[in-house]
């Protein structure tokens, strides 16, 4: 008999993907004041996949629990997750403190134990720090099998088959639950939350806790010394023939 799925979906609040980040005046990071924030796109894909698994296997999924680690304002993306189809949510309120991937993984491990989760589906990376580390670290801490860069997920009983994207092709893995899956762009197209569901989500309970409630001490090991814009590229030129292209490349000693 198949065990019931208790899916944990970690989601992160980031500057909206459609906005070009600006470096702050102190050159210590990007400007966050007066900027639109939204759910990290890869997290949105992970949430969508968990909802599709539930819709396609109604008797298999017990619940979908969305969790976010961030400021109080991260409640917004958790409400969005509820509106889209998550059953319960937890906000680990860390204020404006930066939380590195290892600390995120430690907090998520505690939430996995607290929620008795047996499947974690999360985005492969966040678009703000692009670390691409949390899923791997979480699997290591839990000692669970993992499949990264998932482009297709299929569940049959206690067995999970994942097609993952690799250089020049795809790789197919199979593992037994419990496991950790990180999602890639081509896994699915996330849905929009309907207005009625958004209104309903505002009334649903949202658990708020601190990292200390989970016995996790946040210790950062990295220090940002300086953030600066990349140098501007020189404008290119058009050529009328291959011979002219070769001549220009020789002039700049590229060949």
């Amino acid at each position: 008999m198949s065990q019931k799925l208790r899916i944990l979906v970690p989601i992160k609040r980031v500057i909206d993907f459609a906005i070009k980040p600006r470096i702050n005046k102190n050159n210590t990071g990007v400007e966050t004041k007066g900027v639109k924030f939204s759910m990290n796109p890869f997290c949105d894909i992970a949430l969508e996949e968990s909802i599709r698994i539930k819709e396609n296997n109604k008797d298999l999924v017990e619940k979908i629990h969305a969790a976010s680690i961030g400021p109080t304002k991260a409640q917004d993306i958790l409400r969005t997750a509820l509106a889209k189809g998550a059953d319960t949510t937890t906000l680990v309120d860390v204020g404006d403190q930066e939380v590195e991937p290892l600390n995120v993984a430690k907090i998520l491990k505690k939430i996995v134990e607290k929620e008795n989760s047996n499947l974690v589906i999360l985005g492969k990376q966040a678009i703000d720090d692009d670390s691409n580390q949390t899923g791997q670290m979480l699997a290591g801490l839990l000692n669970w099998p993992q499949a990264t860069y998932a482009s297709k997920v299929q569940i049959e009983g206690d067995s999970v088959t994942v097609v993952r994207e690799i250089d020049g092709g795809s790789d197919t893995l199979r593992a037994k639950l419990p496991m950790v899956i990180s999602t890639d762009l081509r896994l699915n197209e996330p849905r929009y939350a309907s207005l009625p569901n958004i209104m309903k989500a505002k009334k649903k309970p949202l658990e708020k806790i601190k990292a200390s409630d989970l016995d996790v001490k946040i210790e950062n090991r990295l220090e940002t010394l300086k953030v600066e814009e990349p140098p501007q590229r020189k404008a290119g030129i058009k050529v009328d023939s291959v011979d002219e292209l070769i001549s220009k490349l020789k002039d700049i000693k590229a060949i």
Side-chain angles (χ1 to χ4, degrees):
M1 182 179 177
S2 301
Q3 59 176 302
K4 289 278 189 177
L5 284 177
R6 295 173 297 280
I7 306 173
L8 173 66
V9 184
I11 55 178
K12 187 176 184 181
R13 179 179 181 265
V14 298
I15 292 176
D16 191 86
F17 73 92
I19 294 175
K20 182 181 178 181
R22 294 177 291 108
I23 294 175
N24 61 28
K25 293 180 181 179
N26 298 325
N27 291 102
T28 56
V30 297
E31 185 59 61
T32 57
K33 293 182 180 178
V35 177
K36 180 185 177 183
F37 281 76
S38 58
M39 188 186 301
N40 177 52
F42 289 103
C43 299
D44 204 1
I45 291 169
L47 177 64
E48 174 66 26
E49 191 64 21
S50 68
I51 295 168
R52 291 189 185 191
I53 291 172
K54 184 176 181 179
E55 289 173 344
N56 296 330
N57 306 272
K58 292 184 179 180
D59 296 330
L60 182 61
V61 179
E62 184 176 312
K63 72 171 180 177
I64 299 170
H65 187 82
S68 188
I69 302 164
T72 304
K73 291 180 180 179
Q75 292 179 71
D76 292 346
I77 62 169
L78 288 174
R79 296 290 182 199
T80 300
L82 287 168
K84 289 190 175 190
D87 299 302
T88 54
T89 57
T90 295
L91 170 63
V92 182
D93 195 332
V94 295
D96 295 325
Q97 186 174 6
E98 291 289 330
V99 186
E100 293 175 2
L102 180 57
N103 290 321
V104 173
K106 288 179 178 179
I107 291 171
L108 292 178
K109 178 178 182 287
K110 293 288 186 177
I111 296 176
V112 165
E113 294 167 350
K114 183 171 174 285
E115 296 296 325
N116 195 25
S117 304
N118 55 6
L119 177 61
V120 180
I121 305 179
L122 73 166
K124 69 171 185 177
Q125 66 195 78
I127 62 171
D128 51 3
D129 57 17
D130 278 328
S131 293
N132 189 1
Q133 296 175 348
T134 301
Q136 294 90 326
M137 289 178 171
L138 177 60
L141 291 174
L142 290 167
N143 196 27
W144 286 6
Q146 63 174 310
T148 56
Y149 313 115
S151 58
K152 183 179 180 181
V153 177
Q154 186 174 358
I155 299 176
E156 296 176 0
D158 295 338
S159 179
V160 183
T161 302
V162 177
V163 178
R164 55 191 297 273
E165 297 187 349
I166 59 173
D167 290 342
S170 62
D171 192 19
T172 302
L173 303 176
R174 182 178 292 116
K176 294 285 187 181
L177 292 169
M179 73 178 297
V180 175
I181 299 172
S182 71
T183 62
D184 212 341
L185 280 173
R186 279 161 285 281
L187 180 58
N188 60 52
E189 183 71 30
R191 70 193 66 192
Y192 289 98
S194 66
L195 183 58
N197 285 341
I198 291 172
M199 300 306 292
K200 290 176 184 176
K202 290 181 179 180
K203 299 178 182 179
K204 291 183 179 180
L206 190 156
E207 181 186 38
K208 301 175 195 173
I209 58 176
K210 303 285 187 182
S212 56
D213 296 329
L214 299 171
D215 294 324
V216 176
K217 184 178 180 182
I218 298 175
E219 296 177 318
N220 289 339
R221 292 169 168 78
L222 300 175
E223 179 187 358
T224 301
L225 301 179
K226 188 179 182 182
V227 178
E228 56 186 350
E229 295 276 2
Q232 285 191 341
R233 297 176 62 181
K234 293 181 180 179
I237 59 172
K238 291 183 178 181
V239 295
D240 296 321
S241 66
V242 174
D243 290 338
E244 186 181 355
L245 172 63
I246 293 172
S247 176
K248 294 289 185 183
L249 290 173
K250 285 182 177 179
D251 290 343
I252 62 174
K253 297 182 179 180
I255 58 174

